[in-house]
């Protein structure tokens, strides 16, 4: 498999990348790890006229805590996220999800920003971004823009990102009581169903819950009815089981393929919702 | 065509390449380092695994231009000063290969694994090579080979246990 | 004279592989590593529909592209390349290397580009525009047999490639069928098991895709062809034939070959096209398969439907077996396609004394990639059908599966044993293998563990399967190429040994095992022995590597040639020592009179004398080089017992293999380490079939599992640590007593895993589950049943 021809340039800074992206007038694509884009280019399903490489913009790969919030740069690779001590402590669900992506080599190259921009319906990250209520920080020629994960994933491979904008990073509050659980498609290791859960727990009571679902439909969504069923309840197995029991009932369109029918996917949503919640509970 | 400069197995290699040239093709066809293999086209099989700046990566999913400025280690660069790398030794000792096609990538993934986890459990070994397909061995002897190397520890460049054996001249070639 | 160092015996030892140093250092040469100055690259344009008439092919844009030398359509190729021959006696429709008028499967080539490099060739192939008049895709096997929705080949009504060939009890040489005995067995039965079973389609997926470099040199009128093949000598014959050359004008080389598993036995259209284009252009050309091509362009395996009926007495004695086999062979007959299901038929008696068997085969064309040999090739299917039926019988009789099998085993004293299918099993002790496996697995404890797990609500099951395989193929009557193997052993002038073998390996380790044998035979260090293979310019004759024949046939030929040269060398040594040749021993690098090692001559001195024999001993020619063709009198029949323990996730249906125990009897072993590797690999592919691998076609004939994203290759994380044991029952068929072991792992593992899954789900009323064990399938059983 060999890609079509294209021009290549390396951006020296975020602003340089934005300038180049603008100059290309929609014909260029950004590349960092390339693990979403390069396979598509090799299949010639994506044929950009130019690639702008942002992998070496240092500031974009940081994982840090600032003013009580966690920030992950767009070019942070999955391996860095999965093994970050900060994230393991403050947002283990995010690290879990990163560690479930692909395989070791993919995790060494693939990036958070690439995964979010590509928005594969079976990608792992979108579910946790919903669960931690991440702000996705974008920059374009007109400056910065912030979108909440909730509004970012809009459809199949479709996100709220203009062609001249770049994902610079994500920001979210610590979510130490969080986890990710996934049913793997056994060939690709993508998610047939993946559920991320983040709980705010005070004195054994769930103050609030956020649950993100990936793999099941055209794009990742929140499981609001599960969230509502948990809020204000004591954190117990019974509460979790009950809240998870009807998870996904509101999801109208479910994917179906040779690996999992619509029925099976639907049935797996409560199972993995419960498993994600149980995983989170173990961290409370 | 952009100029690239990649340090491959310790040697700076400069070239002008088409941006779409895959790193694996640059290594194989321009540098003639044919130990890195291509086994699939969807970034799954891991036969093309090399180390980029010390970490395992699938060289079929990276354009050579992206690797410019990086240090790349291929299977040809793993033995140091005539001594086999402990993983190469382990694969030989424990019959960790049959047809040998997945072996270079498998070994480089194992290098990455042992760097992160010097004393891995069997489960960690199996997860560490989950990005590499082997169709011949059922993986058991590969796991043994990695355990063998883990027991010995990664080289500190000083260990020179064994001279590199000469590659037996293949009777069945003649193309190059 | 200094003390002579004692050389250890190597046969039977875990000798480290001599192949490995080049492989672990990236210094081996696979076909894609070969570069010849001026070499052009080929890329094929392939059909993206399953069935259709080619309306037009527009190559103008492609031909005009930078770096493109030529573009050939199928019709143009057909002007200088005849259709592909096959190796079976069944009628076969014409099969062009590149489709001429009709495409019959997704991946069928329609044109080929010749260009400066693979990038340019790929761009040009993309620019070829093909228009088709689509025809209905024939996908469903049993519908295909009624000629619906289309007939794929005009001369094959109802898509029947092979129509209802009978075999077994009461079938005579003219295929007249007398069903009396079989009908009687079923009439007298207390219990009858009846089950439809699908042994589904697999994609072999050697990690090295196929590839070929062809170099015709007009000045020399000779062709050199490198191909990733299991059998360079067959390649040479066929490349010569289709290019109008003599075999002496073609040199075929199998360089390092990255796995085959049966899929590299065939001589493929791409091999023929590369050779023909090189001859036509007078330039070297290379074609390297991409993985996405390999999924559709390299033969698939299995895909045999079996209707199985088993008749038995209440005490478990099996009285009769009926088996109707229907094979989905895809769009064309390839080299051995039609023969594979005949191996299934041959082996359906399994390890059992079944007094009456009626089997039939029907082979059906569909719009899919052609099938052919895939590791096991027909025998895993046979094992699967008979073992599943035995399990169902055990379950119905409420009998331990081991006990039921024991009651029906062919007994050691009955060998050689002729089955109702015409196989003559050479040797066996099935109870010994079963007993060893039960002991190694600790069967009773496993049963207790399973019961305890089930009591906790876990879905844990146990499975057991016996197998017997036909290996060491075979007498020349059974193979169109001849079934012998060839070797030449040369003692060089310095006493070093070069030996050739026609058994061309691709991971089997012949360079090591064969050197072990010669080192022992001549009493010399293994470092003094080199095994040459895979090059018809070096290896005079050969058949190749398939059907677990390397050791049983190739090794036997090597042993014979070694024996011949040893006899001659002894005569030279006898002349030097003034001794009788029968009194000489070869050991520790010397040839000496028995009991007087110090008086001997060094091996190298005797070799030197043989090449400068002054005086020449009477009746001898100078030199030490002898060849042998070994013709086996029969196939070999290795056997074994596999046991598995499996757990199914009650909520998701995901199966996890907890344990796999394999006791295999391959006769005498040359290198147990290499044998273990072969068994592990076979197990991996058998478990792969049972648990994760399946080629799935859509109703439109598209392969839905056309990449590793959808077709799962088992990963290291999918397996537990295998537990291996062995029994040794040598074969009388060859002087080594070795039976062959390459495919064995695929036979027992699949039925024993399915048996474990059925056992795990026994509470839901299932008695059989078709492979593969897709989580959703198991989940549905769990949802549908009560427990």
């Amino acid at each position: 498999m060999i890609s079509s021809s294209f021009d290549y340039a390396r951006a020296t800074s975020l602003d340089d990348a934005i300038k180049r992206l603008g100059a290309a007038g929609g014909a260029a694509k950004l590349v960092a790890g390339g693990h979403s884009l390069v396979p598509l280019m090799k299949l010639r399903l994506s044929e950009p006229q130019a690639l702008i490489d942002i992998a070496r913009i240092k500031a974009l790969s940081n994982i840090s805590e600032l003013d009580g919030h966690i920030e992950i740069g767009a070019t942070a690779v999955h391996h860095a996220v999965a093994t970050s001590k900060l994230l393991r402590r403050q947002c283990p669900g995010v690290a879990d999800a990163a560690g479930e992506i692909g395989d070791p080599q993919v995790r060494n190259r693939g990036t958070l920003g690439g995964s979010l921009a590509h928005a594969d319906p079976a990608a792992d990250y979108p579910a946790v971004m919903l669960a931690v209520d991440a702000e996705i920080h974008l920059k374009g020629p007109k400056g910065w823009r912030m979108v909440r994960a909730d509004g970012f994933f809009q459809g199949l491979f479709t996100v709220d990102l203009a062609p001249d904008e770049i994902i610079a990073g994500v920001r979210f509050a610590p979510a130490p009581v969080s986890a990710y659980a996934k049913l793997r498609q056994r060939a690709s290791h993508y998610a047939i169903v993946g559920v991320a859960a983040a709980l705010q727990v005070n004195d054994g009571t769930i103050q609030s819950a956020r649950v993100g679902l990936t793999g099941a439909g055209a794009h990742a969504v929140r499981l609001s009815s599960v969230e509502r069923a948990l809020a204000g309840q004591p954190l117990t197995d019974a509460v979790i089981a009950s809240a998870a029991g009807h998870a996904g009932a509101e999801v109208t369109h479910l994917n179906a393929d040779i690996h999992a029918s619509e029925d099976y996917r639907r049935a797996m949503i409560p199972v993995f919702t419960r498993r994600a919640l149980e995983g989170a509970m173990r961290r409370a | 065509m952009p100029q690239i400069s990649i340090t491959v197995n310790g040697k700076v290699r400069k070239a002008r390449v088409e941006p779409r040239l895959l790193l694996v093709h640059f290594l194989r066809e321009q540098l003639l380092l044919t130990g890195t293999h291509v086994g699939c086209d969807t970034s799954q099989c891991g036969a093309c695994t090399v180390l980029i700046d010390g970490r395992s990566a699938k060289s079929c999913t990276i354009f050579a231009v992206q690797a410019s400025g990086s240090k790349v280690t291929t299977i040809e660069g793993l033995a140091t000063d005539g001594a086999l790398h402990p993983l190469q030794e382990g694969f030989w000792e424990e019959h960790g290969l049959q047809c040998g096609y997945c072996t270079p990538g498998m070994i480089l993934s194992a290098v990455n694994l042992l760097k992160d986890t010097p004393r891995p459990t069997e489960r960690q070994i199996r997860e560490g090579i989950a990005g590499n397909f082997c169709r011949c061995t059922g993986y058991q002897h590969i796991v043994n080979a990695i355990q063998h190397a883990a027991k010995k520890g990664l080289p500190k460049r000083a260990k020179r246990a064994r001279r590199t054996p000469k590659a037996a001249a293949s009777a069945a070639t003649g193309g190059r | 004279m200094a003390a002579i160092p004692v050389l250890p015996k190597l046969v039977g030892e875990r000798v480290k592989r001599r192949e490995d140093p080049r492989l672990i250092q990236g210094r081996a040469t696979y076909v894609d590593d070969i570069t010849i100055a001026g070499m052009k690259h080929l890329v094929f344009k392939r059909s993206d529909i399953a069935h259709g008439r080619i309306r037009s092919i527009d190559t103008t844009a492609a031909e005009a592209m930078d770096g493109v030398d030529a573009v050939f359509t199928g019709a143009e190729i057909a002007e200088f390349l005849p259709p592909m021959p096959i190796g079976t006696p069944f009628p076969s429709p014409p099969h062009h290397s590149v489709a001429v008028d009709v495409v019959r499967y997704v991946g069928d080539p329609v044109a080929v580009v010749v260009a400066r490099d693979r990038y340019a060739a790929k761009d040009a192939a993309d620019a070829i525009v093909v228009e088709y008049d689509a025809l209905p895709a024939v996908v469903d096997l049993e519908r295909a047999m009624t000629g619906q929705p289309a007939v794929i080949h005009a001369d094959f009504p109802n898509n029947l490639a092979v129509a209802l060939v009978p075999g077994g009890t009461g079938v005579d040489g003219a295929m007249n069928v007398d069903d009396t005995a079989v009908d009687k067995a079923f009439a007298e039965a207390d219990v009858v098991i009846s089950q439809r079973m699908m042994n589904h389609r697999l994609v072999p997926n050697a990690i090295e895709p196929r590839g070929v470099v062809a170099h015709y040199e007009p000045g020399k009128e000779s062709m050199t062809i490198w191909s990733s093949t299991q059998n360079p000598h067959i390649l040479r014959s066929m490349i010569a034939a289709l290019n109008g050359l003599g075999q002496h004008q073609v040199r075929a080389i199998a360089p390092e070959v990255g796995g085959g598993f049966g899929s590299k036995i065939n001589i493929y259209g791409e091999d023929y096209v590369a050779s023909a284009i090189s001859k036509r252009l007078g330039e070297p050309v290379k074609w390297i398969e991409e993985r996405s091509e390999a999924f559709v362009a390299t033969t698939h395996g299995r895909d045999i439907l079996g209707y199985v009926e088993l008749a038995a007495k209440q005490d478990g004695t099996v009285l009769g077996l009926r088996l109707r086999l229907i094979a989905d062979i895809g769009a064309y007959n390839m080299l051995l396609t039609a023969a594979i299901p005949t191996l299934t038929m041959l082996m359906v008696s399994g390890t059992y004394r079944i007094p009456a068997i009626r089997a039939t085969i029907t082979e059906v064309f569909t719009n899919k990639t052609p099938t052919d040999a895939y590791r096991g090739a027909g025998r895993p299917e046979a094992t699967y059908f008979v073992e599943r039926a035995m399990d169902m019988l055990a379950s119905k009789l409420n009998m331990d599966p081991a006990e039921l099998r024991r009651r029906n085993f062919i007994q050691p004293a009955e060998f050689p044993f002729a089955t109702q299918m015409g196989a003559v099993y050479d040797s066996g002790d099935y109870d010994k293998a079963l007993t060893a496996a039960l002991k190694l697995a600790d069967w009773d404890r496993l049963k207790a563990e399973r019961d305890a797990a089930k009591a906790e609500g876990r879905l844990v099951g146990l499975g057991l399967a016996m197998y017997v395989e036909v290996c060491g193929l075979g007498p020349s009557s059974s193979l169109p190429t001849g079934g012998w193997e060839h070797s030449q052993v040369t003692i060089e002038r310095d006493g070093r040994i070069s030996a050739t073998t026609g058994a061309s390996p691709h991971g089997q380790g012949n360079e090591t095992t064969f050197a072990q044998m010669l080192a022992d035979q001549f009493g010399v260090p293994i470092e003094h022995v080199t095994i040459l293979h895979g090059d018809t310019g070096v290896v005079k004759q050969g058949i190749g590597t398939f059907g677990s024949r390397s050791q049983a046939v190739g090794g036997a030929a090597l042993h014979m040639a070694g024996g011949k040269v040893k006899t001659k060398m002894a005569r030279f040594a006898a002349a030097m020592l003034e001794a009788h040749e029968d009194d000489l021993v070869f050991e520790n690098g010397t040839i000496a009179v028995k009991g007087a090692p110090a008086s001997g001559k060094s091996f190298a001195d005797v070799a030197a004398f043989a090449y400068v024999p002054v005086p020449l001993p009477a009746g001898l020619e100078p030199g030490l080089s002898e060849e042998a063709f070994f013709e086996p009198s029969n196939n070999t029949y290795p056997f074994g017992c596999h046991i598995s323990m499996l757990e199914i996730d009650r909520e998701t249906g995901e199966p996890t293999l907890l344990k796999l125990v394999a006791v295999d009897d391959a006769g005498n072993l040359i290198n147990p380490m290499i044998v273990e590797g072969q068994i592990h690999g076979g197990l991996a592919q058998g478990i792969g079939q049972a648990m994760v691998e399946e080629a799935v076609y859509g109703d439109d004939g598209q392969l839905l599992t056309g990449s590793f994203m959808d077709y799962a290759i088992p990963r290291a994380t999918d397996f537990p640590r295998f537990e291996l044991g062995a029994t040794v029952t040598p074969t009388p068929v060859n002087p080594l007593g070795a039976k062959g072991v390459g495919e064995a792992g695929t036979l027992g593992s699949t039925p024993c895993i399915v048996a474990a899954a059925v056992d795990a789900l026994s509470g839901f009323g299932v008695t059989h589950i078709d492979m593969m064990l897709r989580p959703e399938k198991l989940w549905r059983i769990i949802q549908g049943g009560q427990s």
Side-chain angles (χ1 to χ4, degrees), chain B residues 90-171:
Chain B
F91 273 70
W92 193 12
E93 289 290 335
E94 300 292 338
H95 188 29
L97 60 149
Q98 290 178 28
C99 82
Y101 197 77
C102 75
T103 309
M106 193 69 81
I107 288 178
L108 289 162
S109 278
V111 171
N112 186 88
L113 165 73
L114 293 187
K115 215 179 272 179
D116 286 352
T117 318
R119 307 187 69 81
T121 61
E122 175 155 351
R123 188 73 212 162
Q124 285 171 322
I125 291 175
R126 288 178 184 270
E127 281 166 3
I129 55 169
N132 295 78
F133 293 172
C134 171
R135 201 67 162 147
C136 293
T137 66
Y139 302 102
Q140 188 147 315
H141 284 165
I142 294 176
V143 171
N144 294 353
I146 297 170
Q147 287 173 335
H148 179 103
K151 244 175 250 156
K152 294 197 74 167
L154 287 194
K156 288 277 174 267
R157 292 234 157 218
K159 275 191 187 169
R160 263 157 227 167
R162 187 197 301 275
R163 296 284 306 163
T164 309
K166 284 201 180 75
S170 171

Side-chain angles (χ1 to χ4, degrees), chain A residues 53-135:
Chain A
D53 190 342
I54 58 169
R56 313 237 168 186
I57 303 172
K58 269 267 177 303
L60 281 187
S61 64
N62 283 346
I63 301 172
S64 57
E65 187 169 15
L66 198 71
D67 301 333
H69 277 74
I70 308 292
E71 293 186 6
I72 307 177
T75 65
V77 298
H78 309 325
H79 171 77
V81 173
T83 56
S84 155
K85 288 206 174 88
L86 172 68
L87 293 174
R88 285 249 145 256
R89 194 174 62 240
Q90 298 279 40
C91 295
V94 176
D96 283 355
E100 286 280 330
I101 299 171
D103 57 48
Q105 295 97 308
V106 169
R107 293 195 290 274
N108 282 338
R109 298 291 301 184
T111 65
L112 170 63
S115 172
L116 297 182
H118 180 55
D120 190 297
D124 299 295
Y125 266 138
V128 273
M129 290 298 112
L130 289 168
V132 299
D133 195 18
E135 301 168 349

Side-chain angles (χ1 to χ4, degrees), chain B residues 20 29 135 140 164 172, chain C residues 25 118 123 253 693 721-722:
Chain B
R20 65 173 174 160
E29 289 168 13
R135 201 67 162 147
Q140 188 147 315
T164 309
Chain C
Q25 296 184 92
R118 67 183 92 202
D123 288 346
I253 299 174
E693 295 183 39
R721 186 160 274 272
F722 306 135

